[in-house]
Amino acid sequence: MTDTPPASEQTGVPTCYRHPGRETYVRCTRCERPICPDCMVEASVGFQCPECVHQGNRDIRHAKGRFGGEVATVPRLTYALIAVNVVVFLLQYGLGDADLIRYDFGLIPPLVAEGEYYRLLTSAFLHNGVTHLALNMWALWAVGQSLELWLGRSRFLVLYGVSALGGSTLVYLASPYLSNTAGASGAIFGLFGAIFVISRRMNLDIRPIAVVIVLNLAFTFVIPLLGGANISWQGHVGGLVTGGLLAFAYAHAPRQNRTAVQFGAAGAITALLLVLIVLRTAAFT
């Protein structure tokens, strides 16, 4: 008993390599295999099959920015961070007891020393009122967009997170024993320090940025002396120094090993912060 070949083979009509029952006279311009209408992907010339399109996308080298990150045209991560902070704020005050939430997730040094290290990061997404949130989100919007486009999303996200940890670390080291600190200011001041360093590296006019940093530091120390709201200078200074150091590594990393140096610096700074946290915890016990 012998098998009868399909009618298409008997007549010599080509069939789609992915759908053998479909006759077609169209071939992929890259691999020249026959493809049916469901498998045709329009190319600059003719059509390609899905496999060649997928392989072509893998071979494309994405454009790199001046500091090694992929070029971004829309600062989506900045907008996402603003959205997260706003949503957390709405939950914080919408659940009915903002003070309790700040107690559960704010940076209270003795509770961190007891093992609640998550407070070092969760505190960076809590805010003490609408004004506190609005000022921080305006600063994030004003500074974050440029940094994200210059650095690329991954480097910007690392910068934001390490700066937040740097601010929290100095709070943990130097704030009053029973203080309860909250706010994104550590991360924001890290962005201030970073945009100063990056702008200088790009030979931009850094005077406006320097004025903003000096004014914010002045407010940080002067307002509490005048009887205003308590402002955590520790969070601001810690974030500023951390963000500036990491941005220096971003800006001056050698081209041939740029990615390794940049993320290695981020890891080294994070490791140093963790050592300081461990030492502080040991001092509590």
Side-chain angles (χ1 to χ4, degrees), residues 8-90:
S8 59
E9 293 185 16
Q10 297 180 47
T11 60
V13 176
T15 59
C16 177
Y17 83 97
R18 299 177 77 232
H19 303 98
R22 300 181 185 179
E23 298 180 357
T24 180
Y25 288 93
V26 177
R27 292 181 178 273
C28 171
T29 56
R30 188 169 181 176
C31 69
E32 297 188 350
R33 289 179 293 187
I35 49 177
C36 69
D38 289 343
C39 299
M40 296 177 189
V41 180
E42 188 172 1
S44 56
V45 178
F47 298 91
Q48 292 185 6
C49 66
E51 291 180 13
C52 286
V53 171
H54 179 69
Q55 183 62 40
N57 289 336
R58 291 176 58 187
D59 294 340
I60 293 175
R61 295 186 63 184
H62 297 283
K64 298 291 184 180
R66 177 170 179 175
F67 302 103
E70 291 189 6
V71 174
T73 56
V74 179
R76 293 189 179 91
L77 186 55
T78 298
Y79 301 154
L81 287 170
I82 293 173
V84 169
N85 277 278
V86 171
V87 168
V88 171
F89 179 82
L90 294 176

Side-chain angles (χ1 to χ4, degrees), residues 157-218:
L157 181 60
V158 171
L159 172 68
Y160 189 90
V162 174
S163 297
L165 182 61
S168 294
T169 299
L170 190 55
V171 170
Y172 186 43
L173 292 173
S175 64
Y177 183 74
L178 292 177
S179 60
N180 188 345
T181 305
S185 301
I188 301 301
F189 268 77
L191 300 186
F192 284 160
I195 200 168
F196 178 87
V197 172
I198 297 296
S199 297
R200 186 172 183 180
R201 178 63 170 167
M202 296 174 68
N203 294 319
L204 301 177
D205 186 1
I206 60 173
R207 288 174 295 182
I209 302 169
V211 169
V212 170
I213 294 174
V214 170
L215 287 176
N216 276 276
L217 287 175

Side-chain angles (χ1 to χ4, degrees), residues 264-275:
I269 292 172
T270 302
L272 175 60
L273 295 175
L274 294 177
V275 169

Side-chain angles (χ1 to χ4, degrees), residues 90-109:
L90 294 176
L91 291 173
Q92 180 184 350
Y93 283 84
L95 293 177
D97 196 339
D99 290 335
L100 179 60
I101 293 175
R102 277 199 303 274
Y103 179 81
D104 288 338
F105 298 100
L107 205 171
I108 304 174

Side-chain angles (χ1 to χ4, degrees), residues 97-183:
D97 196 339
D99 290 335
L100 179 60
I101 293 175
R102 277 199 303 274
Y103 179 81
D104 288 338
F105 298 100
L107 205 171
I108 304 174
L111 296 183
V112 174
E114 292 177 3
E116 298 180 6
Y117 294 105
Y118 60 85
R119 294 175 178 270
L120 295 166
L121 293 179
T122 57
S123 60
F125 292 93
L126 301 176
H127 288 86
N128 299 315
V130 174
T131 302
H132 190 203
L133 174 73
L135 289 173
N136 278 339
M137 294 306 99
W138 177 85
L140 176 54
W141 178 82
V143 179
Q145 295 183 85
S146 296
L147 280 173
E148 182 178 350
L149 297 182
W150 291 342
L151 298 174
R153 293 193 179 96
S154 60
R155 287 163 176 77
F156 176 72
L157 181 60
V158 171
L159 172 68
Y160 189 90
V162 174
S163 297
L165 182 61
S168 294
T169 299
L170 190 55
V171 170
Y172 186 43
L173 292 173
S175 64
Y177 183 74
L178 292 177
S179 60
N180 188 345
T181 305

